[in-house]
Amino acid sequence: MRTTSTSESHFSFVLETPAATPEAARLHFQAKLSVETDAADLRLDLERGRKGFVVVDVRSAEAYARRHIPGALHIPGRQVSEASTAALSKEDVVVVYCWGPGCNGATKAAVRFAALGFRVKELMGGIEYWVKEGAPTEGTLPQGVPVFGMRGEI
């Protein structure tokens, strides 16, 4: 029995599922950008004093105390409610974040904010990628503490 090497095969894993049309791709990526932002864009807007959004850390009180994005408000994700968000303006976009890409706490909080009528974006990569990009933080942990390891180290 002869086996065909991958270099001789005409099969493509990439092309097995056809690519979207350019318009479908544009709509998909536009929709994705409407609910996400990244650390670099958030950092630049914060440094420039840009208004129109509020940053909310949805992790535990202990995690927030140890390290958070400067100026971020703290509302634990499971506590997002009409009462806990009463001081926020629905004119502003709420940017939520949690630990990192392996945590869906920000996604869950985003659902709760949206259900309350807020426009919301999730910070891709959470505090982990914020720190990886060298952005400043506030809290009791020194800036040099590594991001990697147990959640308590962030």
Side-chain angles (χ1 to χ4, degrees):
M1 177 187 286
R2 181 174 177 213
T3 59
T4 305
S5 74
T6 56
S7 62
E8 294 175 15
S9 174
H10 296 288
F11 177 78
S12 169
F13 290 100
V14 172
L15 302 176
E16 178 180 23
T17 302
T21 65
E23 180 61 9
R26 182 187 70 77
L27 291 172
H28 166 79
F29 291 114
Q30 183 176 339
K32 187 175 176 180
L33 289 170
S34 74
V35 295
E36 295 178 345
T37 192
D38 69 11
D41 289 347
L42 179 59
R43 181 180 184 180
L44 283 171
D45 274 359
L46 289 173
E47 288 173 353
R48 293 174 180 168
R50 178 72 166 88
K51 304 294 182 202
F53 64 90
V54 61
V55 180
V56 179
D57 185 317
V58 300
R59 300 172 302 146
S60 70
E62 296 79 16
Y64 176 82
R66 284 191 297 265
R67 180 175 287 169
H68 60 270
I69 294 173
L73 302 177
H74 178 246
I75 304 174
R78 294 191 196 287
Q79 295 175 15
V80 173
S81 66
E82 286 189 33
S84 68
T85 62
L88 301 179
S89 170
K90 291 190 178 172
E91 298 299 314
D92 290 336
V93 171
V94 176
V95 177
V96 294
Y97 73 90
C98 64
W99 290 103
C103 175
N104 67 1
T107 306
K108 291 176 182 178
V111 169
R112 289 184 174 105
F113 274 104
L116 293 170
F118 289 93
R119 292 174 301 140
V120 62
K121 288 191 174 200
E122 182 176 7
L123 177 62
M124 297 165 47
I127 192 76
E128 178 182 346
Y129 277 64
W130 179 264
V131 171
K132 279 184 178 183
E133 293 213 11
T137 58
E138 295 176 337
T140 59
L141 284 182
Q143 293 286 346
V145 173
V147 175
F148 303 103
M150 295 178 59
R151 285 185 174 182
E153 294 176 5
I154 291 184

